[in-house]
Amino acid sequence: MPKIKIAPSILSADISRINREIKEVEKYADLIHIDIMDGIFVSPTTVDADFVKAIKTHVPLDVHLMVHEPSEAYLKGFFDAGAHSITIHEEACRDPLRQIDLIKKSNVKACISIKPKTPLGRIKKYLDLVDMVLIMTVEPGYAGQKFIASAMPKIEELRKLKPKLDIEVDGGINPYTAPLAYAAGANVFVAGTSIFGKKDRTAAIQEMLQSLK
Ligand code: DX5
Ligand code: ZN
Protein backbone atom coordinates (compact mmCIF):
# COMPACT_ATOMS: atom_id res chain seq x y z
CA MET A 1 0.00 0.00 0.00
CA PRO A 2 1.45 3.43 -0.91
CA LYS A 3 2.11 6.09 1.73
CA ILE A 4 -0.81 7.77 3.51
CA LYS A 5 -1.29 11.37 2.40
CA ILE A 6 -3.54 14.03 3.89
CA ALA A 7 -4.95 16.67 1.54
CA PRO A 8 -6.83 19.50 3.27
CA SER A 9 -9.45 20.96 0.89
CA ILE A 10 -9.52 24.75 0.83
CA LEU A 11 -13.21 24.69 -0.08
CA SER A 12 -13.84 24.90 3.67
CA ALA A 13 -11.16 27.54 4.32
CA ASP A 14 -11.48 31.32 4.41
CA ILE A 15 -10.26 32.16 0.91
CA SER A 16 -9.97 35.87 1.71
CA ARG A 17 -6.93 34.91 3.80
CA ILE A 18 -5.91 31.78 1.94
CA ASN A 19 -2.15 32.00 2.39
CA ARG A 20 -2.54 32.35 6.15
CA GLU A 21 -5.05 29.46 6.20
CA ILE A 22 -2.61 27.25 4.31
CA LYS A 23 0.20 28.18 6.73
CA GLU A 24 -1.84 26.53 9.48
CA VAL A 25 -1.83 23.13 7.75
CA GLU A 26 1.51 23.29 5.94
CA LYS A 27 3.44 21.30 8.49
CA TYR A 28 1.29 18.16 8.30
CA ALA A 29 -0.39 18.37 4.88
CA ASP A 30 0.98 16.26 2.04
CA LEU A 31 -1.11 18.04 -0.60
CA ILE A 32 -3.33 21.11 -0.70
CA HIS A 33 -6.58 20.16 -2.45
CA ILE A 34 -8.15 22.89 -4.57
CA ASP A 35 -11.67 22.41 -5.91
CA ILE A 36 -12.38 24.12 -9.20
CA MET A 37 -16.08 24.19 -10.13
CA ASP A 38 -17.39 25.61 -13.39
CA GLY A 39 -21.14 26.01 -12.85
CA ILE A 40 -21.73 23.46 -15.66
CA PHE A 41 -20.42 20.05 -14.56
CA VAL A 42 -21.50 21.08 -11.05
CA SER A 43 -23.79 23.99 -10.18
CA PRO A 44 -21.47 26.09 -8.00
CA THR A 45 -18.49 28.04 -9.25
CA THR A 46 -15.33 28.47 -7.19
CA VAL A 47 -11.85 29.88 -7.74
CA ASP A 48 -9.79 29.96 -10.96
CA ALA A 49 -6.20 29.49 -12.13
CA ASP A 50 -5.23 33.05 -11.14
CA PHE A 51 -6.28 32.28 -7.58
CA VAL A 52 -4.16 29.12 -7.62
CA LYS A 53 -1.21 31.10 -8.98
CA ALA A 54 -1.37 33.45 -6.00
CA ILE A 55 -1.05 30.61 -3.46
CA LYS A 56 2.32 30.60 -1.73
CA THR A 57 3.29 27.27 -0.22
CA HIS A 58 5.85 24.51 -0.57
CA VAL A 59 3.08 21.90 -0.29
CA PRO A 60 2.14 20.40 -3.70
CA LEU A 61 -1.14 21.73 -5.10
CA ASP A 62 -3.71 19.05 -5.97
CA VAL A 63 -6.19 20.63 -8.39
CA HIS A 64 -9.59 18.91 -8.69
CA LEU A 65 -11.34 20.08 -11.85
CA MET A 66 -15.10 19.69 -11.62
CA VAL A 67 -15.17 21.20 -15.06
CA HIS A 68 -16.93 20.26 -18.30
CA GLU A 69 -14.48 19.47 -21.13
CA PRO A 70 -11.40 21.42 -19.98
CA SER A 71 -9.58 22.76 -23.07
CA GLU A 72 -5.84 22.88 -23.66
CA ALA A 73 -5.73 26.63 -22.93
CA TYR A 74 -7.77 26.14 -19.76
CA LEU A 75 -5.45 23.37 -18.52
CA LYS A 76 -2.42 25.50 -19.37
CA GLY A 77 -3.65 28.10 -16.90
CA PHE A 78 -3.26 25.52 -14.13
CA PHE A 79 0.12 24.28 -15.41
CA ASP A 80 1.34 27.88 -15.28
CA ALA A 81 -0.20 28.34 -11.84
CA GLY A 82 2.07 25.59 -10.50
CA ALA A 83 -0.34 22.67 -10.10
CA HIS A 84 1.40 19.50 -8.95
CA SER A 85 -1.49 17.22 -9.94
CA ILE A 86 -4.64 17.82 -11.95
CA THR A 87 -7.72 15.64 -11.65
CA ILE A 88 -10.30 15.51 -14.41
CA HIS A 89 -13.69 13.81 -14.22
CA GLU A 90 -14.43 10.90 -16.52
CA GLU A 91 -18.06 12.07 -16.69
CA ALA A 92 -17.02 15.58 -17.77
CA CYS A 93 -14.84 14.70 -20.75
CA ARG A 94 -15.80 13.20 -24.13
CA ASP A 95 -12.35 11.65 -24.49
CA PRO A 96 -10.44 11.87 -21.17
CA LEU A 97 -7.34 10.56 -22.94
CA ARG A 98 -6.94 13.97 -24.55
CA GLN A 99 -6.76 15.79 -21.22
CA ILE A 100 -4.62 13.05 -19.63
CA ASP A 101 -2.08 13.41 -22.48
CA LEU A 102 -1.98 17.20 -22.23
CA ILE A 103 -1.46 17.08 -18.46
CA LYS A 104 1.29 14.47 -18.65
CA LYS A 105 3.07 16.28 -21.47
CA SER A 106 3.39 19.29 -19.16
CA ASN A 107 5.00 17.17 -16.46
CA VAL A 108 2.05 17.54 -14.14
CA LYS A 109 0.63 14.45 -12.47
CA ALA A 110 -2.58 13.29 -14.15
CA CYS A 111 -5.47 11.94 -12.16
CA ILE A 112 -8.94 10.76 -13.15
CA SER A 113 -12.02 10.82 -10.96
CA ILE A 114 -15.40 9.12 -10.92
CA LYS A 115 -18.55 10.13 -9.05
CA PRO A 116 -20.09 7.73 -6.51
CA LYS A 117 -22.49 6.14 -9.02
CA THR A 118 -20.02 5.79 -11.91
CA PRO A 119 -18.71 2.22 -12.21
CA LEU A 120 -14.98 1.53 -12.06
CA GLY A 121 -15.20 -0.09 -15.49
CA ARG A 122 -15.50 3.37 -17.04
CA ILE A 123 -11.89 4.23 -16.15
CA LYS A 124 -10.16 0.84 -16.41
CA LYS A 125 -8.59 1.80 -19.72
CA TYR A 126 -6.82 4.79 -18.13
CA LEU A 127 -5.35 3.02 -15.11
CA ASP A 128 -1.92 2.45 -16.63
CA LEU A 129 -1.69 6.08 -17.72
CA VAL A 130 -2.64 8.05 -14.63
CA ASP A 131 -0.66 8.84 -11.47
CA MET A 132 -3.69 8.77 -9.17
CA VAL A 133 -7.40 7.89 -9.19
CA LEU A 134 -9.93 9.89 -7.20
CA ILE A 135 -12.96 7.93 -6.06
CA MET A 136 -15.57 10.48 -4.99
CA THR A 137 -17.33 9.63 -1.74
CA VAL A 138 -19.97 12.36 -2.16
CA GLU A 139 -21.65 13.83 -5.24
CA PRO A 140 -19.25 16.58 -6.31
CA GLY A 141 -20.25 20.19 -5.73
CA TYR A 142 -20.37 20.95 -2.03
CA ALA A 143 -18.39 20.54 1.17
CA GLY A 144 -20.01 19.13 4.29
CA GLN A 145 -21.94 16.24 2.73
CA LYS A 146 -22.34 12.74 4.11
CA PHE A 147 -19.79 10.05 3.14
CA ILE A 148 -21.24 7.52 0.65
CA ALA A 149 -20.03 4.12 1.83
CA SER A 150 -21.33 2.34 -1.26
CA ALA A 151 -18.23 3.65 -3.09
CA MET A 152 -16.00 1.35 -0.99
CA PRO A 153 -16.26 -1.80 -3.18
CA LYS A 154 -14.88 0.22 -6.11
CA ILE A 155 -11.84 1.13 -4.01
CA GLU A 156 -11.35 -2.52 -3.02
CA GLU A 157 -11.51 -3.60 -6.65
CA LEU A 158 -9.13 -0.84 -7.74
CA ARG A 159 -6.61 -1.62 -5.00
CA LYS A 160 -6.56 -5.26 -6.11
CA LEU A 161 -5.88 -4.18 -9.69
CA LYS A 162 -3.28 -1.53 -8.76
CA PRO A 163 -1.40 -2.28 -5.53
CA LYS A 164 0.94 0.72 -5.90
CA LEU A 165 -1.40 3.39 -7.29
CA ASP A 166 -2.34 6.46 -5.25
CA ILE A 167 -6.07 6.13 -4.57
CA GLU A 168 -7.64 9.35 -3.33
CA VAL A 169 -11.00 9.74 -1.61
CA ASP A 170 -12.89 13.01 -1.38
CA GLY A 171 -16.13 13.86 0.37
CA GLY A 172 -17.27 13.41 3.95
CA ILE A 173 -13.83 12.22 5.07
CA ASN A 174 -13.30 12.52 8.84
CA PRO A 175 -11.75 10.37 11.60
CA TYR A 176 -14.79 8.04 11.47
CA THR A 177 -15.01 7.54 7.70
CA ALA A 178 -11.30 7.71 6.77
CA PRO A 179 -10.60 4.29 8.37
CA LEU A 180 -13.37 2.75 6.21
CA ALA A 181 -11.81 4.13 3.03
CA TYR A 182 -8.35 3.12 4.24
CA ALA A 183 -9.51 -0.43 4.92
CA ALA A 184 -10.89 -0.57 1.39
CA GLY A 185 -7.52 0.51 -0.01
CA ALA A 186 -7.49 4.30 -0.26
CA ASN A 187 -4.29 6.13 0.78
CA VAL A 188 -4.89 9.80 -0.08
CA PHE A 189 -7.48 11.54 2.09
CA VAL A 190 -9.08 14.84 1.09
CA ALA A 191 -10.85 16.66 3.91
CA GLY A 192 -12.51 20.06 3.95
CA THR A 193 -15.00 20.31 6.81
CA SER A 194 -13.08 18.00 9.14
CA ILE A 195 -9.87 20.07 8.82
CA PHE A 196 -10.53 23.67 7.73
CA GLY A 197 -13.93 23.53 9.42
CA LYS A 198 -12.15 23.07 12.75
CA LYS A 199 -10.49 25.77 14.80
CA ASP A 200 -7.34 23.77 15.51
CA ARG A 201 -6.26 22.45 12.12
CA THR A 202 -3.14 20.75 13.44
CA ALA A 203 -5.18 18.78 15.97
CA ALA A 204 -7.69 17.90 13.24
CA ILE A 205 -4.99 16.43 10.99
CA GLN A 206 -3.41 14.58 13.91
CA GLU A 207 -6.79 13.10 14.78
CA MET A 208 -7.25 11.96 11.20
CA LEU A 209 -3.79 10.35 11.12
CA GLN A 210 -4.45 8.70 14.48
CA SER A 211 -7.66 7.17 13.10
CA LEU A 212 -5.59 5.45 10.40
CA LYS A 213 -3.21 3.73 12.80
C1 DX5 B 1 -16.67 18.41 -3.17
C2 DX5 B 1 -15.19 18.61 -3.21
C3 DX5 B 1 -14.49 18.29 -1.97
C4 DX5 B 1 -14.94 19.05 -0.74
C5 DX5 B 1 -14.96 18.06 0.36
O1 DX5 B 1 -17.18 18.32 -4.43
O2 DX5 B 1 -14.60 17.86 -4.25
O3 DX5 B 1 -13.07 18.39 -2.12
O4 DX5 B 1 -14.10 20.10 -0.38
O5 DX5 B 1 -15.49 18.65 1.49
P1 DX5 B 1 -15.81 17.78 2.78
O6 DX5 B 1 -14.52 17.24 3.27
O7 DX5 B 1 -16.42 18.78 3.70
O8 DX5 B 1 -16.78 16.72 2.36
ZN1 ZN C 1 -12.37 17.87 -4.30
Side-chain angles (χ1 to χ4, degrees):
M1 171 90 104
K3 181 181 170 292
I4 289 174
K5 293 180 194 161
I6 303 292
S9 166
I10 64 161
L11 195 57
S12 306
D14 178 354
I15 60 164
S16 70
R17 57 189 299 280
I18 192 61
N19 284 315
R20 275 176 288 166
E21 291 278 80
I22 289 174
K23 272 265 164 300
E24 291 185 23
V25 298
E26 256 182 350
K27 200 163 164 208
Y28 299 102
D30 298 286
L31 301 165
I32 299 293
H33 185 84
I34 305 167
D35 291 300
I36 310 290
M37 305 188 190
D38 67 349
I40 300 168
F41 180 63
V42 289
S43 313
T45 54
T46 54
V47 295
D48 57 11
D50 286 338
F51 178 89
V52 176
K53 200 169 190 168
I55 294 178
K56 291 181 188 67
T57 179
H58 65 268
V59 184
L61 302 177
D62 177 38
V63 173
H64 178 191
L65 295 182
M66 283 159 274
V67 173
H68 175 74
E69 211 64 65
S71 68
E72 182 166 6
Y74 183 85
L75 290 170
K76 191 173 178 299
F78 291 95
F79 305 152
D80 295 346
H84 162 83
S85 48
I86 297 183
T87 299
I88 55 154
H89 267 269
E90 188 275 341
E91 306 89 349
C93 304
R94 222 175 318 116
D95 178 15
L97 214 47
R98 214 185 129 245
Q99 281 88 0
I100 291 171
D101 278 344
L102 289 167
I103 297 168
K104 288 179 67 171
K105 257 194 235 148
S106 297
N107 283 320
V108 173
K109 299 214 176 295
C111 172
I112 192 156
S113 179
I114 47 174
K115 301 198 276 185
K117 289 187 201 110
T118 303
L120 188 65
R122 292 263 290 270
I123 57 167
K124 279 199 177 144
K125 52 181 173 291
Y126 311 116
L127 294 182
D128 289 334
L129 304 171
V130 294
D131 299 288
M132 182 162 81
V133 168
L134 167 55
I135 304 288
M136 289 302 295
T137 42
V138 298
E139 288 298 330
Y142 303 92
Q145 303 181 78
K146 195 173 170 282
F147 176 80
I148 298 175
S150 57
M152 295 306 98
K154 286 193 287 194
I155 299 175
E156 284 168 19
E157 191 187 344
L158 179 57
R159 179 52 74 210
K160 275 190 199 123
L161 289 169
K162 291 273 156 200
K164 293 187 182 141
L165 183 71
D166 276 332
I167 303 179
E168 185 174 49
V169 281
D170 180 8
I173 299 296
N174 59 44
Y176 301 97
T177 57
L180 304 175
Y182 182 56
N187 68 298
V188 184
F189 301 88
V190 175
T193 308
S194 72
I195 295 178
F196 279 116
K198 297 272 172 65
K199 216 168 162 232
D200 186 343
R201 280 73 186 266
T202 305
I205 296 177
Q206 298 294 6
E207 203 190 324
M208 179 91 71
L209 286 169
Q210 204 56 40
S211 77
L212 301 171
K213 288 231 160 96

